Amino acid sequence: MSISVFELFKIGIGPSSSHTVGPMVAARQFVEDLAGRGELTRTDRVQVHLYGSLALTGIGHGTDMAVLMGLLGESPDTIDVNSIDEKLARIERGEQLRLHGDHDIRFVREHDLVFHEDEFLPQHANGMTCRAYSAGELLFERSYFSIGGGFVLSEEDFAHKDQIATLLPYDFGSAAQLMSVCERHGWTIAELAMENEKAFRSEQEVKDALWEIWEVMDGSIQRGCHQYGLLPGGLKVRRRAAELYKELSKQSREEREDGLAILDWVSLYALAVNEENAARGRIVTAPTNGAAGVIPAVIAYYVHFVHDPEKHGDLKDQVVKFLLTAGAIGMLFKKNASISAAEVGCQGEIGVACSMASAGLAAVQGGSNQQIENAAEIGMEHNLGLTCDPIGGLVQVPCIERNTMGAVKAINAARLSLRGDGAHIVPLDSVIETMRQTGVDMQSKYKETSQGGLAVNAVNC
């Protein structure tokens, strides 16, 4: 399955790519499929059944909200996040839903949105089935799977997922192939990624779209640095980024010159993004929502503390290089393992984001392809086995702080790789396969079900 960098970096809303963005996309796709069959206006009832991890942690992840917005015809990248509460209240008050934005049907949430907490669909842990009825007769039924990072496959597509591909001029299925193609053409990893992206759009369009991705990331940092109060969901988690930003902004010159002071800023950037994510704000999946703060924090670190125009050139070009490099590494994980915590635990989210970020940072600091691959390998190797155990099914504890750790690890991984010549014992492909095997062996209670780990051993208040 060939992947574009823009499938890994998608503008959306919080709190979860697999449990919010994916289900919204799936529900919208269902009503579009229904309309395409000419059966939308005949429909008088829709039921959505959620299975596995979507059912177990769906309420905390906003899956219920996402499904309803998708049925309305909303899309994660364009929905007005400030309008969601009013739309939900309107559905609750009237027990009616405007399907696809123009066809009213009766919708009683308690009966038409069904959570099957003890049942998993065989294809994937994040499964949902949508059904449309007319006068009690089933008109249309289709299952969808949210496979991580906002990716959605229908039941039919899932059966042929390995055949779904766009023919790319310089495709690669492994890190070894990626390195070989780059060596053959004398390209950096970012240059190869750009050549492949040009199969979809012009080079300038790629650059502009990636800069827009960074602007949305930076916007989430800026908003997060100025928002106070408690995060929604019942855990009463206090937003910390604004207070930390206020404190860091008052630092004296001596405090700023402390060798570790920069890490406080890196942590701030990651906190700000993931608090915005938890508050259902506008963010970029990178490659998921739960790990959305790692890459923005590392790019912000580069922008504010590393970039030198005379040494590194134009900032926009460097950010584009960072994202193209990170995207190429993310594709390897997506193709050969998973970026879904419901499949492989948080190593597939924070671990992959850390690996991508370390590669991107090594690239913009002049690293060779070998050093970049080494950075990516270090970034994942030391996240192997990381579980996903969100307390209360919310993307808050330990998820928000975990992004700060992922960002710091990414910076250290890049620095370690740049201190060497790129030679290393463990290839990136081996680490990716190890991550996949570890995810297979990991018990389901540690894979975004909130049935193990901190989710059951920490006080839930």
Side-chain angles (χ1 to χ4, degrees), residues 198-338:
K198 284 159 64 175
F200 304 102
R201 61 194 86 191
S202 72
E203 182 171 338
Q204 190 59 50
E205 287 174 328
V206 173
K207 289 182 176 180
D208 291 344
L210 286 174
W211 183 253
E212 181 186 6
I213 290 293
W214 162 240
E215 288 182 322
V216 175
M217 289 177 171
D218 188 47
S220 63
I221 292 175
Q222 301 307 318
R223 288 192 306 277
C225 284
H226 295 88
Q227 300 297 318
Y228 293 84
L230 301 179
L231 294 172
L235 285 182
K236 298 181 180 178
V237 174
R238 181 174 58 85
R239 296 182 72 140
R240 291 181 287 170
E243 286 292 344
L244 180 56
Y245 173 71
K246 186 177 179 180
E247 178 183 335
L248 293 179
S249 298
K250 294 180 179 178
Q251 283 181 330
S252 65
R253 181 176 178 179
E254 290 75 17
E255 289 173 320
R256 286 178 180 270
E257 291 176 351
D258 173 5
L260 295 178
I262 290 175
L263 295 185
D264 293 334
W265 285 93
V266 174
S267 294
L268 167 66
Y269 303 144
L271 284 175
V273 173
N274 281 84
E275 287 178 356
E276 278 296 289
N277 179 63
R280 210 166 61 192
R282 178 73 66 208
I283 53 87
V284 174
T285 62
T288 67
N289 285 37
V294 176
I295 289 173
V298 176
I299 296 179
Y301 157 77
Y302 172 77
V303 169
H304 296 295
F305 297 102
V306 178
H307 180 70
D308 180 345
E310 292 186 5
K311 181 178 179 181
H312 300 122
D314 181 69
L315 178 60
K316 180 175 181 179
D317 289 340
Q318 290 295 90
V319 170
V320 168
K321 180 190 291 186
F322 187 113
L323 291 172
L324 285 172
T325 306
I329 298 302
M331 292 174 197
L332 295 172
F333 286 97
K334 178 65 181 171
K335 291 177 180 180
N336 300 311
S338 176

Side-chain angles (χ1 to χ4, degrees), residues 184-199:
R184 188 182 317 135
H185 293 276
W187 288 336
T188 65
I189 292 173
E191 287 170 339
L192 181 147
M194 175 61 83
E195 290 300 314
N196 282 336
E197 289 302 323
K198 284 159 64 175

Side-chain angles (χ1 to χ4, degrees), residues 19-70:
H19 287 57
T20 314
V21 175
M24 189 183 299
V25 169
R28 176 187 167 95
Q29 184 61 55
F30 176 71
V31 294
E32 289 180 346
D33 291 344
L34 193 60
R37 293 166 58 91
E39 293 174 332
L40 181 68
T41 56
R42 292 183 59 200
T43 301
D44 59 23
R45 183 187 183 194
V46 167
Q47 265 197 336
V48 178
H49 297 260
L50 302 169
Y51 298 91
S53 181
L54 290 184
L56 287 164
T57 61
I59 296 297
H61 285 73
T63 306
D64 49 344
M65 172 276 294
V67 168
L68 296 182
M69 293 302 104

